[in-house]
Amino acid sequence: MSSPLVEVSAISRTYAMRSGMFGRAAAVHAVDGVSLTIARGQTLGLVGESGSGKSTTGRLVLGLEPPDRGAVRFDGKPMTALGTTAWRAQRARMQMIFQDPLGALDRRLPVATQIREPLDIHGIGTPAMRDDRVRELLRAVELTPAHGARYPGALSGGQRQRIVLARALATKPDFLVCDEPVSALDVSIQAQVVNLLCDLQAQLSLTLLFISHDLRVVRQISNVVAVMYLGRIVEIGSADDLFARPEHPYTQALVSASPAPGRRSAGRIVLSGDPPNPAARPAGCAFHPRCPRAIARCASEVPALSAVGGDRQVACHLVTGAATRDAA
Ligand code: SF4
């Protein structure tokens, strides 16, 4: 079996957040001890509510900021320091796609110029080869070379996200971090862009970290799914198995709110309590104020992420192994 492309070992990132001009700074544990492995050619879906630390995890994995603790290895090598020549070479193999395609593009430049930009920055090919590559990329994302002459404002939301995708693919990366890449698009356009991403992944053997709060989309594209809550992974496992049989009470609530196509949403678990606030993480299991199954121990003791059978890991005091799974 080949080695994983991305190995994330216990990364953490804390920010100081001040409330008001004279308020005391509070530590926000945006990411706390997250470990992930992404096999080559696979998609790991990272899900959770807003404030769960998904996007910060994506930025740490991509090396856009360093973790306070822990390490990221890409293709067997540690991430190099930001801004160095070695980092730029590594970075050409790793790209990011953001939620807002209009914000990611320069409205003053034709989109062909923007697709070509990474080739110019990394000095890849002659000018004529770069122009050829731009036409090839436009076709790859199912647009025509004529679209290249347009400005972002003259394209639809779906076309703009295709341009962002074409630009991300310009340097022939191995790894894409997609941060809510379709959540700003209409539902019908979302499906087209996700299908295109799936096709390109298969054609180009891409490895993806796909960040989304939308389980419907994550279910469609992911091989493995990790669920985050207030900076920690609370459950991880094969996508089909996890969606068919979620173990963690938080995952169960998320899955119940996003039924599979053709399945009715009866039995939806509605969570009570406040949505997660990263600046005020509860002690013990951070989910305990909202958890319908919480016991006394949950308020004081952080549950470790532990193997519970198969490739599943769960962080819950009540889910402790194969016996628990079989009894459920
Ligand atoms: Fe709920 Fe306790 Fe499990 Fe946390 S550890 S998910 S509070 S039962």
Side-chain angles (χ1 to χ4, degrees), residues 205-226:
S205 303
L206 292 167
T207 304
L208 304 183
L209 174 59
F210 192 94
I211 298 168
S212 179
H213 68 280
D214 186 341
L215 265 67
R216 190 179 43 85
V217 176
V218 169
R219 188 193 297 256
Q220 185 183 344
I221 198 168
S222 306
N223 306 101
V224 175
V225 171

Side-chain angles (χ1 to χ4, degrees), residues 157-318:
Q159 288 172 334
R160 286 196 283 263
Q161 197 57 299
R162 287 168 193 265
I163 296 295
V164 170
L165 185 52
R167 186 174 62 179
L169 296 174
T171 56
K172 300 187 177 173
D174 302 294
F175 179 50
L176 293 184
V177 174
C178 307
D179 190 358
E180 302 277 8
V182 295
S183 54
L185 305 176
D186 292 344
V187 173
S188 59
I189 307 296
Q190 283 183 4
Q192 292 173 16
V193 174
V194 171
N195 287 339
L196 174 64
L197 202 47
C198 290
D199 291 347
L200 289 170
Q201 180 185 28
Q203 284 168 29
L204 306 173
S205 303
L206 292 167
T207 304
L208 304 183
L209 174 59
F210 192 94
I211 298 168
S212 179
H213 68 280
D214 186 341
L215 265 67
R216 190 179 43 85
V217 176
V218 169
R219 188 193 297 256
Q220 185 183 344
I221 198 168
S222 306
N223 306 101
V224 175
V225 171
V227 181
M228 285 190 79
Y229 192 83
L230 284 178
R232 301 182 182 125
I233 290 182
V234 297
E235 182 158 14
I236 185 166
S238 301
D240 290 344
D241 187 39
L242 185 140
F243 283 117
R245 203 158 123 155
E247 299 281 359
H248 192 282
Y250 177 59
T251 316
Q252 289 171 347
L254 291 182
V255 172
S256 79
S258 174
R263 216 174 65 198
R264 295 182 56 193
S265 60
R268 176 171 180 176
I269 301 165
V270 179
L271 292 174
S272 59
D274 295 329
N277 176 1
R281 187 170 68 182
C285 173
F287 184 57
H288 83 262
R290 303 171 80 194
C291 181
R293 297 170 62 193
I295 55 176
R297 182 183 172 198
C298 302
S300 58
E301 203 178 313
V302 179
L305 188 66
S306 308
V308 297
D311 67 352
R312 188 79 64 88
Q313 295 177 65
V314 180
C316 175
H317 295 310
L318 300 184

